[in-house]
Amino acid sequence: MSIKKKKYYRVENILKHEANYNMLLGEKSNGKSYAVKEHAVMEALEGKGKLIYMRRYEMDVKASDVDAYFADAPIFAISNGEYSLIHAYRGVIYAANYDENKNKIVNGKELGRIVWLTGYHHFASQAFVGYKNIIFEEFITDSIYLENEPTTLQKMVSTILRDKNGSCWLVGNTISRVCPYFLEWCLDKIPKQKPGTIDDYFFENEDGTKTKIAVEYCENLGTSSSMFFGKAREHIAGGQWQTKAMPKLEKKYSEYTRLYEVLLKSSGFSFVLNLLQDEKSGATLVYVYPFTGNRRIRRILSDEYSEDILTSKNLNVNIKPELIMTKLVNEGMVSFSDNLTGSDFTHVIEQRGGIL
């Protein structure tokens, strides 16, 4: 009986795009991180350029965590048996071996360094010589991003590469579509991108140079494990954007009276917010669904400045329906058209500091 070998992600296809930034999205445990570190370690060993391992916070790059991250890197095979492990020591990443008694690690060739994004100012004055690959792991979060994070990342990249080109690898699981990188870098096709595809984005700079970003929504490779089920399995094994079970309308939409309507435009998303009233009980709630752009809504909430008197950043509590909507949202009295809309809306509100 033949045993079907599990497929894992490889970087060969995205390397053909020769991009400055390679963004890898998709399911957990499909080999994205393994493939990237294998590529970066190989190039470092071959003298083509050292690597940077980066996370958002210093607490995520402790030496023991870095050792664990590189534990599955095939260093023995890549080095033809010269090295047996990768070891982090005082912020530097080494190819290493155990001593004869196998109780002490002996560092060998320097492969790269460890940095963290919140430490940008700490690293800004330091020298980085001979670097090529920057690995930013778990750049997508369902928590709060740093202020102006995409700009801070580019400053960090500039500090490391200076006036040379290299490859910045942004590796992320499909957790939340609300991501400042998608918005600031105008990666507008990501929310609808299909698994197994690579989209290129170009930015032409004032000095005539061009920056290229390649976004790969990695192919769904699935899992044979039965440890995951329900919505979690769709995310872990299927690569779908992570969602939570969100409240839906208990009755048909037509059984509610629409009292007020607002369009929310934030973080690249557009939602319609209806203040509804149950015709029988008189109870009110807010109903949220995606805006398709097929009609005009005059009252707009937007992060962008507008001279239109009907456009503002937040609801106006001096207007009674908007005061009611504010209270209902704060009390969680919100229903959604679907789980993905509810998850996106929740993340948008979090990024706005919990303010509608």
Side-chain angles (χ1 to χ4, degrees), residues 152-163:
T152 302
L153 173 65
Q154 290 192 56
K155 289 180 179 179
M156 180 72 86
V157 171
S158 173
T159 292
I160 296 165
L161 298 179
R162 300 298 178 184
D163 59 347

Side-chain angles (χ1 to χ4, degrees), residues 103-231:
N103 58 12
K104 183 179 179 181
I105 295 176
V106 180
N107 292 325
K109 185 178 179 65
E110 181 180 328
L111 302 178
R113 288 179 59 182
I114 305 162
V115 303
W116 53 95
L117 201 53
T118 53
Y120 160 68
H121 293 290
H122 170 74
F123 295 105
S125 60
Q126 297 184 20
F128 292 82
V129 180
Y131 284 81
K132 182 180 180 181
N133 289 292
I134 301 170
I135 305 172
F136 183 14
E137 276 283 352
E138 298 188 20
F139 81 98
I140 297 178
T141 178
D142 55 1
S143 185
I144 303 298
Y145 292 87
L146 307 180
E147 185 176 359
N148 300 318
E149 184 171 315
T151 299
T152 302
L153 173 65
Q154 290 192 56
K155 289 180 179 179
M156 180 72 86
V157 171
S158 173
T159 292
I160 296 165
L161 298 179
R162 300 298 178 184
D163 59 347
K164 295 182 174 61
N165 285 330
S167 298
C168 183
W169 299 84
L170 292 90
V171 185
N173 296 319
T174 42
I175 297 174
S176 169
R177 302 193 304 173
V178 181
C179 176
Y181 293 91
F182 302 167
L183 178 63
E184 187 161 328
W185 292 357
C186 302
L187 310 179
D188 55 341
K189 293 181 285 186
I190 286 180
K192 296 183 179 180
Q193 188 173 345
K194 302 298 183 183
T197 62
I198 301 175
D199 286 334
D200 292 333
Y201 299 81
F202 297 89
F203 290 86
E204 188 164 349
N205 305 307
E206 293 181 358
D207 59 1
T209 61
K210 288 185 178 180
T211 301
K212 184 176 182 180
I213 302 173
V215 179
E216 182 168 8
Y217 194 162
C218 303
E219 181 183 0
N220 296 338
L221 302 179
T223 177
S224 59
S225 174
S226 59
M227 295 302 295
F228 319 113
F229 58 93
K231 286 294 178 182

Side-chain angles (χ1 to χ4, degrees), residues 10-58:
R10 308 301 299 165
V11 298
E12 281 73 14
N13 286 335
I14 199 167
L15 283 174
K16 296 175 184 176
H17 290 244
E18 299 181 340
N20 305 99
Y21 291 83
N22 298 300
M23 185 176 289
L24 307 182
L25 311 173
E27 62 189 327
K28 293 182 178 180
S29 303
N30 68 346
K32 298 188 300 297
S33 295
Y34 178 93
V36 171
K37 58 188 153 187
E38 178 188 38
H39 169 74
V41 168
M42 185 178 297
E43 293 213 318
L45 279 173
E46 293 175 351
K48 295 180 180 179
K50 291 184 284 188
L51 66 90
I52 290 288
Y53 175 59
M54 177 167 60
R55 295 290 293 271
R56 191 169 277 108
Y57 300 104
E58 183 178 8

Side-chain angles (χ1 to χ4, degrees), residues 253-312:
Y253 182 77
S254 58
E255 296 183 37
Y256 295 89
T257 300
R258 191 178 70 187
L259 302 178
Y260 199 75
E261 187 172 58
V262 173
L263 172 62
L264 170 62
K265 301 170 69 174
S266 183
S267 299
F269 290 81
S270 296
F271 304 100
V272 179
L273 282 67
N274 284 167
L275 176 60
L276 302 182
Q277 186 173 48
D278 188 315
E279 293 182 351
K280 290 186 177 181
S281 68
T284 55
L285 66 117
V286 174
Y287 177 58
V288 179
Y289 60 92
F291 178 62
T292 58
N294 59 356
R295 61 190 179 85
R296 184 184 183 192
I297 299 177
R298 300 208 57 193
R299 180 67 175 107
I300 299 173
L301 304 182
S302 175
D303 296 334
E304 297 182 2
Y305 172 76
S306 173
E307 293 183 354
D308 183 356
I309 60 172
L310 292 177
T311 300
S312 62

